[in-house]
Amino acid sequence: MADMTLDGNAIAGLLREIFAMEMTNALGTCGSCGAVNEVGRVQVYVHAPGTVVRCPSCEHVLMRVVRGRGKYWVDLSGVRCLEFAEP
Amino acid sequence: MIKWQLGTLAELKPETPRVSSLYLDVPEWPGHLAGQHVDVRLTAEDGYQAERSYSIASAPEDRRLALTVERLDDGEVSPYLVGELRVGDKLEFRGPIGGFFVWQGQDERPLLLVAGGSGIVPLMSMLRHRASASRKPPARLLYSSRKFEDIIYAQKLARLAAAGDGLSVHHTLTREKPSGWTGYTRRIDAAMVKDVAWPKDTTPAVFVCGPTSFVEAAAQLLVAMDYDPRWIKTERFGATGG
């Protein structure tokens, strides 16, 4: 299973579809443990239905993104805060 | 929204038996940073699409955009890119993408690059960028390959190291070594990292790229040397079947 884990770099393109700017340098605060990490450092699983993003410190689910049938479903309930620079 | 665009394959250069560099002419390239990637998209006649990310191998200063791609026989995209795509063919992609795993020439910290297999590609962009910079921080590359024939950019790396501008290149081979080989012949370990890595009091900038298990092993070895995890930027290729 270890080699199924990717990191935030792998979803840079997906996040550019959703957000107006490059997001891998954004700082995300985990809603569970409070750890603050750049999005580039998060754990990413692309083999789940959709994409699952976990905290690199406690593995809590930060984000889920499903794309299909011409729509996106974005669940950000595990992220307390996303901080990023203006474009 | 980041737009898909078409590039034209201008040159195809084999690097190893399974790896080739694709040089693309791109009508509107906004420029990139060393370490960024592009997403490539193939569309079948029935509309089925497959997307994969490939690191940019060229420096920001280079005339053409270069990708270096490893052919994975069970992959959906790489066997087309390395095997079927011909000079003059169009390729759909978007980019440049990414902002975390990037190195910029004005960063004066000593540079430590650690690559496993095709993880060398974004690090090559950094080394090419460094080679054309007016002020160059000292740099060390530790590069793990399975066999001698699998070393990507072997001659280019030798030339860069021979320039005498503060770059040293350290190879390790994990499966087979040719006779007369003077590099390491084992998986990356604590003694090897201790030999090659900068002392921690130099607060280096570190980039590690390769398969997930390689990246995690290397990062753990560096943290065990008391490197601050914030100095270490990693990019994992995983086993996503390119």
Side-chain angles (χ1 to χ4, degrees), chain B residues 33 46 76 103 124 135 153 160 177 185 187 204 214 221-222:
Chain B
L33 303 173
D46 66 359
E76 282 191 318
W103 179 75
M124 190 62 180
R135 294 177 63 191
Y153 313 129
L160 286 172
K177 57 163 180 166
T185 54
R187 287 179 182 278
F214 174 87
L221 291 166
L222 291 164

Side-chain angles (χ1 to χ4, degrees), chain B residues 48-228:
Chain B
Y48 175 78
Q49 293 187 318
E51 261 177 60
R52 293 291 184 276
S53 297
Y54 294 101
S55 291
I56 297 170
S58 46
E61 300 78 15
D62 293 347
R63 188 167 58 92
R64 281 186 177 135
L65 177 69
L67 310 177
T68 300
V69 178
E70 178 175 17
R71 180 190 170 99
L72 303 172
D73 289 333
D74 57 353
E76 282 191 318
V77 176
S78 64
Y80 175 78
L81 299 181
V82 181
E84 293 189 44
L85 193 69
R86 298 283 175 263
V87 169
D89 288 350
K90 304 273 190 214
L91 186 65
E92 191 178 28
F93 71 98
R94 64 180 180 183
I97 292 168
F100 171 73
F101 194 81
V102 300
W103 179 75
Q104 294 180 269
Q106 65 264 35
D107 190 338
E108 293 179 357
R109 294 174 294 169
L111 190 56
L112 175 64
L113 306 177
V114 183
S118 56
I120 189 67
V121 178
L123 309 186
M124 190 62 180
S125 177
M126 296 176 190
L127 288 175
R128 286 169 160 155
H129 183 39
R130 177 185 174 279
S132 65
S134 51
R135 294 177 63 191
K136 301 176 177 63
R140 293 176 181 169
L141 168 67
L142 176 58
Y143 181 13
S144 176
S145 305
R146 278 169 295 204
K147 295 181 289 187
F148 184 73
E149 309 82 74
D150 292 332
I151 299 175
I152 304 168
Y153 313 129
Q155 291 176 7
K156 293 185 187 81
L157 288 170
R159 278 200 299 273
L160 286 172
D165 65 6
L167 168 67
S168 65
V169 174
H170 309 263
H171 289 281
T172 186
L173 298 177
T174 58
R175 295 218 182 138
E176 279 176 35
K177 57 163 180 166
S179 60
W181 176 253
T182 55
Y184 297 109
T185 54
R186 58 187 196 267
R187 287 179 182 278
I188 187 170
D189 61 18
M192 194 186 301
V193 168
K194 193 159 180 294
D195 281 354
V196 176
W198 300 102
K200 67 168 181 172
D201 58 13
T202 63
T203 65
V206 187
F207 293 87
V208 183
C209 188
T212 300
S213 53
F214 174 87
V215 167
E216 293 187 352
Q220 281 167 18
L221 291 166
L222 291 164
V223 170
M225 275 183 62
D226 281 340
Y227 270 38
D228 186 325

